[in-house]
Structures are given as structure tokens and as C-alpha cells.
Amino acid sequence: MSFFPAEDPTPGDAFSCDQIELMVVPNAKDIDGFQVRRALPTARRRLVGPFIFFDRMGPAILRAGHALDVRPHPHIGLATVTYLFDGKIRHRDSLGTEMVIAPGDVNLMTAGRGIVHSERTPEELRGAPMSISGLQTWLALPDAKEETAPMFENTAAAVLPTFDADGASGRLIIGEFKGLKSPVRQASDTLYADIKLAPGAKIKIPADAEERAIYTLGGELDILGDRFPIERLLVFRPGDEIVVSSETGAHFMLFGGASLGTRRYIWWNFVSSSRERIEQAKNEWKTGRFDIVPGDEEEFIPLPEG
């Protein structure tokens, strides 16, 4: 998640498949028993489509008496997508939203010109151990929408399109895939899907999206004879249809979309096409000019030094 001081990813080992433009091995960071792996951004790849940030959270067990407590912090110029496999998180934001994020739901928070939010273990779940596992990604907003009004939208898992054929199953989170279309709002052309392969199954990933990548969550994947274990980011070369298979069975995320076409700067929780806009946001947070989070007014994360 945005608040974790995770380490920058590193390039992976060499591979022979020329359909893969880049492989990244995320560095794991253990924070009080909670492990986070950051796959984007990297020195060699800043974005895949609009995706400028990709964090794998857990899987982990929060012991009784321990909790996830992310104090209020700001964002500009992006939309956060929180997607859980296990556990629950209470989201509060400066719009007055209060929502318990459940597994399989899509929580899209568009920061635009500025929003503040907190993420905490729900109070009613703090008395017992709780498992937590999921992803938080950031989508950089296109030039014309960087300063849009902030908003929050929750889409329940039950209304997301699913597919299940020939050993390949999954849920479409954002965009279009295999003739399906997600109801989740897009600021720009975006693809995001949760895919599982049964042992011996395969799936074709068309070249419809301009930029595409996968993140391996479980099992082992095979692409043109190269095998890839869990916790790998694979960025595909544009224009190729990709066939992903697995002898063991596998779980991975497919993501990407159209290139934004212009450069993005990222500093802490701020994303913008303008360095000056980021400096403005830094000053506004430091001087208390962002809105507060109703129900979570007592704490906040200070602006990092430097």
C-alpha cells in the first residue's frame, strides 16, 4: 500500500522468451510481521498502461491485538484500486466515505485534485487473529483528468464479470477481456483481471491492450518454454498474443492498458505530470490545507523529510 516504505524492485534473471520485455523481482519488506512486495515503479519501468504503482500485501496473519492502522494521508493525480483476497480493511476518506473493504470487491478512489484517506483493521475484528492478503495499485490519471473532483466508488464482487472455461477462470476487475466488460469506471483505457489456471490449463492473452503485464501470485507459469515462479512481474512486448500455461496450476493478475503518452512524476503519495504541482501538494499537506477525514481526525502521517 502507499504507506509502506517498501524497497525498489530489482531486475530478474535472464530468460529466453522474446515476448517478455522485462521481468522484475519485487523486494520484500517485512513491517511488524506484515510483508509487502513492490513491483512498480522500477528504475527500468515506471508505468504499464496507467498502472504506476503495484504493491502485493501479505499474505499474513495479524495476531490478536495487532492491527493494520494506516493514519490519514493525502493523494493527488491518481486513482487507487484496492483489491483483497482475504481479510477486511475499513476505508475512511475526506469525502465522508466509510466503507469496509471485503475480498473480491473493487474499491476505486479517485484522488484527482486531492483527497485524504485512512485504512485500518475494523474495530470489531481486532480481538482475534485475522488473515490479510491483497493488492493495492495506483492508476495515473490522464492529463485532462489530473485535477478532477475526488470521488470514491465501491463495486461488489457479485456484479463483476467472471469467466470459467477449459480450466481457465477469473474475474474481470476493470476494462474488457474475453468479450466481457467490467462496470468499474475507467479514466483511461485500462485492463485489470484476476486469473486462475487449473493444472495443465492455458489461456490466450490477446494484444488488444497497448501495454500488458502479469504478476504471479501462486503456482508456476510457462510462456514459450520459460517457467516463472510466484512473485514475479512480467511485462510483455506490445503486439504479441501471449499464451500462458501451467502444469501445476497458477494464479496471476493481468493488467495494463493504453500508454498515457506523457511523463509522470511520483513522490510519496503524489503523482503528476508537473513537478510544480507535486511541490504545491507537499506544501499544502505540510501546512494543513488538505481536508480532514471525518471519524479519523486525531492522527495523520507527516510529510516525509527530503
Side-chain angles (χ1 to χ4, degrees):
M1 286 184 155
S2 57
F3 48 85
F4 288 117
E7 309 247 338
D8 287 342
T10 57
D13 299 329
F15 45 84
S16 60
C17 176
D18 63 3
Q19 291 184 327
I20 298 174
E21 190 175 280
L22 177 68
M23 180 172 74
V24 173
V25 181
N27 286 323
K29 181 83 170 183
D30 190 271
I31 303 165
D32 195 25
F34 190 89
Q35 196 168 75
V36 179
R37 294 176 176 86
R38 182 156 300 160
L40 285 176
T42 76
R44 294 173 59 187
R45 186 81 189 212
R46 307 298 288 174
L47 297 105
V48 178
F51 287 82
I52 195 169
F53 182 95
F54 193 109
D55 259 13
R56 169 71 167 119
M57 309 177 291
I61 301 292
L62 295 176
R63 301 187 302 276
H66 288 69
L68 184 69
D69 276 309
V70 186
R71 294 165 291 161
H73 57 283
H75 292 282
I76 65 162
L78 57 87
T80 66
V81 182
T82 305
Y83 184 74
L84 299 179
F85 304 113
D86 202 4
K88 293 183 178 180
I89 298 173
R90 173 166 275 118
H91 164 99
R92 290 187 176 97
D93 64 41
S94 52
L95 300 175
T97 310
E98 182 175 341
M99 170 71 66
V100 174
I101 303 173
D105 295 351
V106 178
N107 285 264
L108 177 70
M109 185 187 74
T110 301
R113 61 176 177 257
I115 199 168
V116 182
H117 73 137
S118 63
E119 295 156 298
R120 300 181 185 267
T121 300
E123 291 80 0
E124 62 272 19
L125 299 179
R126 293 180 179 234
M130 186 185 76
S131 59
I132 187 157
S133 174
L135 300 165
Q136 189 172 76
T137 56
W138 295 356
L139 309 176
L141 297 176
D143 291 3
K145 297 182 179 179
E146 286 188 287
E147 297 298 319
T148 192
M151 67 184 77
F152 178 88
E153 300 164 278
N154 170 271
T155 304
V159 303
L160 294 172
T162 59
F163 57 90
D164 190 349
D166 302 321
S169 61
R171 176 183 291 126
L172 180 58
I173 301 170
I174 304 175
E176 299 184 30
F177 184 65
K178 296 182 73 68
L180 303 172
K181 185 174 182 178
S182 168
V184 176
R185 184 193 303 263
Q186 300 179 67
S188 62
D189 183 28
T190 305
L191 172 62
Y192 197 21
D194 179 358
I195 300 174
K196 293 181 179 179
L197 296 179
K202 63 183 178 181
I203 189 170
K204 292 181 180 179
I205 300 175
D208 298 345
E210 180 182 359
E211 298 181 353
R212 299 157 299 159
I214 61 177
Y215 187 88
T216 59
L217 293 164
E220 187 176 68
L221 297 180
D222 186 294
I223 301 173
L224 286 182
D226 273 326
R227 291 188 174 181
F228 302 94
I230 63 172
E231 314 299 352
R232 296 292 185 272
L233 171 69
L234 309 176
V235 180
F236 296 127
R237 189 177 67 183
D240 290 336
E241 179 181 79
I242 310 294
V243 177
V244 180
S245 61
S246 177
E247 292 184 5
T248 61
H251 183 196
F252 64 94
M253 305 301 292
L254 168 66
F255 65 98
S259 169
L260 292 178
T262 53
R263 184 173 182 176
R264 287 296 177 278
Y265 300 98
I266 181 170
W267 188 90
W268 192 40
N269 300 316
F270 305 138
V271 171
S272 180
S273 59
S274 163
R275 289 185 186 274
E276 291 75 20
R277 180 66 180 91
I278 288 179
E279 291 301 315
Q280 177 187 343
K282 289 164 66 173
N283 185 59
E284 289 175 349
W285 182 245
K286 190 172 184 179
T287 56
R289 282 182 282 162
F290 275 83
D291 293 334
I292 63 170
V293 176
D296 202 343
E297 305 97 336
E298 301 302 317
E299 299 181 298
F300 66 94
I301 299 178
L303 189 76
E305 296 294 329

